[in-house]
Amino acid sequence: MTRHIYLLVIMLLGVVMTGCGNDDEFVINCRIKDLGDKGVEMVYFNRGLQRVSFHPDDGKVTLRGSSPDLTPVEVFTLDNRLLFTCVAKNGDELEVKLDPSKVGAITIEGNDISEQYAKFISTNAETLVNTRDAAGINALITKEVTAHPDRISSALILMTMFHAPGYEMLADSLIHILVPEARPSALMKSFAALVGEQVSTSARGNVRGMTFHTGRDTVNGHDTIVRFMPTFHSYGLLVFVSDRKSDTITNRLNELIKDYHRRRLEIMELSFQSDSATWRRSIRIDSAKWTQAWVPGGNAASQIRNLAVPTTPFFIVTDSLGKQLYRGRSIASAVDTLRYRLKEHLISDSVTTASDSILPPDNSDSHKLEPVKRPQNQKLKPAKVQ
């Protein structure tokens, strides 16, 4: 009798271990509304990127993976649509309920980090779904990280939802607000490295003079050479693009060209397109009045590698010493920076015009050039002889 009881206890323990996972794996039980039997893919990191496919039954699926350390887990449909994100490590069992058709309709149970992460999504769903409102989303994340610097969920929210391009300094500040225990290397390493590159002395250092060979000109057959020399102009604007740029950017650049003398402002557009032929076709109907160049190798090209351009479109405003006054994704912010600095040097048809001399980078009143008046057509009187 005692032997039978012992065997029964062993069997019950085996059932419990099977249901709750073990030290060799983590388990994520999912109920995803309207998924049916469409396949899903789980992506996580364990000594390299792991991708595992699963096939649900009426929207229910159990995902199994293995990682001895806490790792971010992302689950996608087979057409690459993100369903949800969580974190897990061996021994964890999570319960996920999700309705993809409703914004923020997600609950996760099983570990505090994933529960807090899902709650943040549910609470702020309306703002988070508006992916164009980068400033609004970043403000929400800043509030969450500042309020809970001791939570690993804050680190997960920061690395997966924060819009870093153009906000690298804020991202770097938020990383360091988190206590060391709340930013494990397995979670934050890649994000911290990306942000660190953008806030480095090299990336934000002075822009040097650059020369670009843009390939054979289709008209005269010679190499086209263009140069960007900050010291030749009061201010400079570097515009980095990939495919054909938007009309908004084109219109803004045309306005700048119309409003300021070239000695005051130099604009150079640098394209990262795959080949020069494609680039030439794209600019043929552009009729741009600013300098355009193709950059073989894109942001890894030797001339601009140190600038660490993270994405396109991207904009850098420089002064005559090459100092970066603005770097980021917003053409509006780049233009505002230039117009503030050049506000007294608009091209005017009036009698009073500004000198063409290059202004020093210091825009204090003591360094501003006084207008030079054109001489009027007046008769000259002879000087009196003493």
Side-chain angles (χ1 to χ4, degrees):
M1 182 67 180
T2 304
R3 182 171 181 271
H4 287 296
I5 293 174
Y6 177 77
L7 290 174
L8 181 60
V9 170
I10 293 296
M11 291 173 64
L12 288 173
L13 286 173
V15 171
V16 170
M17 291 297 290
T18 302
C20 297
N22 54 60
D23 291 340
D24 296 325
E25 67 175 3
F26 59 81
V27 178
I28 306 175
N29 299 309
C30 305
R31 293 177 60 185
I32 304 173
K33 188 175 181 180
D34 297 329
L35 182 65
D37 59 355
K38 297 177 182 177
V40 297
E41 183 179 57
M42 179 175 66
V43 181
Y44 66 98
F45 189 87
N46 180 18
R47 297 179 182 177
L49 194 65
Q50 308 294 323
R51 294 178 178 270
V52 189
S53 297
F54 299 87
H55 295 280
D57 180 10
D58 192 25
K60 299 178 182 178
V61 61
T62 297
L63 313 177
R64 296 179 182 273
S66 178
S67 175
D69 301 312
L70 197 67
T71 183
V73 179
E74 293 184 315
V75 179
F76 298 85
T77 59
L78 292 184
D79 60 357
N80 208 36
R81 179 166 57 94
L82 179 65
L83 291 171
F84 67 89
T85 301
C86 62
V87 294
K89 67 179 187 301
N90 290 344
D92 285 351
E93 182 174 14
L94 279 65
E95 300 288 335
V96 178
K97 295 180 181 179
L98 173 66
D99 183 353
S101 66
K102 296 181 180 179
V103 177
I106 182 173
T107 60
I108 302 178
E109 299 176 350
N111 64 41
D112 291 342
I113 303 168
S114 299
E115 289 177 13
Q116 293 160 356
Y117 181 81
K119 184 178 179 180
F120 178 81
I121 293 175
S122 299
T123 304
N124 302 288
E126 290 187 7
T127 301
L128 294 173
V129 76
N130 183 13
T131 54
R132 293 185 178 182
D133 184 17
I137 292 172
N138 288 350
L140 274 178
I141 295 170
T142 299
K143 183 179 179 180
E144 179 73 10
V145 172
T146 304
H148 305 289
D150 57 339
R151 290 183 179 178
I152 296 179
S153 62
S154 296
L156 184 62
I157 290 166
L158 178 61
M159 65 170 285
T160 59
M161 300 184 194
F162 191 87
H163 292 251
Y167 296 88
E168 291 88 358
M169 298 300 288
L170 175 58
D172 184 64
S173 175
L174 293 176
I175 290 173
H176 290 90
I177 284 176
L178 293 167
V179 301
E181 295 77 15
R183 43 184 167 97
S185 177
L187 282 181
M188 296 296 293
K189 185 177 181 180
S190 296
F191 182 75
L194 176 65
V195 172
E197 181 184 56
Q198 290 301 306
V199 301
S200 67
T201 303
S202 173
R204 294 183 175 270
N206 288 358
V207 177
R208 302 186 299 268
M210 298 177 287
T211 300
F212 299 93
H213 297 259
T214 60
R216 295 285 179 181
D217 189 284
T218 55
V219 177
N220 56 32
H222 299 302
D223 265 0
T224 302
I225 299 176
V226 295
R227 294 182 176 87
F228 180 80
M229 303 297 292
T231 55
F232 288 1
H233 313 273
S234 299
Y235 298 97
L237 172 60
L238 292 172
V239 180
F240 301 92
V241 296
S242 291
D243 301 323
R244 191 172 182 274
K245 58 189 173 294
S246 69
D247 290 340
T248 300
I249 295 175
T250 300
N251 292 339
R252 291 282 192 148
L253 298 183
N254 277 322
E255 290 170 2
L256 289 174
I257 288 292
K258 181 183 68 175
D259 289 344
Y260 303 104
H261 288 290
R262 190 163 185 176
R263 286 181 64 85
R264 295 287 180 188
L265 173 63
E266 168 72 350
I267 300 175
M268 176 173 281
E269 174 190 317
L270 299 172
S271 174
F272 293 168
Q273 292 204 46
S274 57
D275 59 83
S276 60
T278 303
W279 167 67
R280 289 190 183 282
R281 284 195 298 269
S282 69
I283 67 170
R284 189 169 296 161
I285 58 174
D286 207 343
S287 66
K289 295 181 180 179
W290 55 88
T291 305
Q292 294 175 298
W294 172 64
V295 186
N299 61 358
S302 59
Q303 301 98 316
I304 61 172
R305 187 184 302 131
N306 64 299
L307 296 177
V309 177
T311 185
T312 56
F314 197 75
F315 310 92
I316 295 178
V317 176
T318 72
D319 64 12
S320 60
L321 297 179
K323 180 181 178 182
Q324 295 188 46
L325 306 177
Y326 171 81
R327 58 178 285 134
R329 298 190 64 182
S330 172
I331 181 62
S333 296
V335 170
D336 288 347
T337 300
L338 287 166
R339 288 199 180 280
Y340 176 78
R341 301 269 176 162
L342 292 166
K343 57 188 176 183
E344 294 188 3
H345 302 286
L346 282 168
I347 293 176
S348 173
D349 291 330
S350 64
V351 173
T352 302
T353 61
S355 167
D356 273 343
S357 299
I358 299 175
L359 281 180
D362 183 356
N363 64 343
S364 61
D365 290 340
S366 61
H367 288 284
K368 290 176 182 174
L369 300 181
E370 294 296 328
V372 178
K373 293 185 178 181
R374 293 175 181 170
Q376 305 298 317
N377 294 325
Q378 297 177 353
K379 293 182 178 178
L380 300 178
K381 295 180 179 181
K384 293 183 180 181
V385 180
Q386 299 295 329

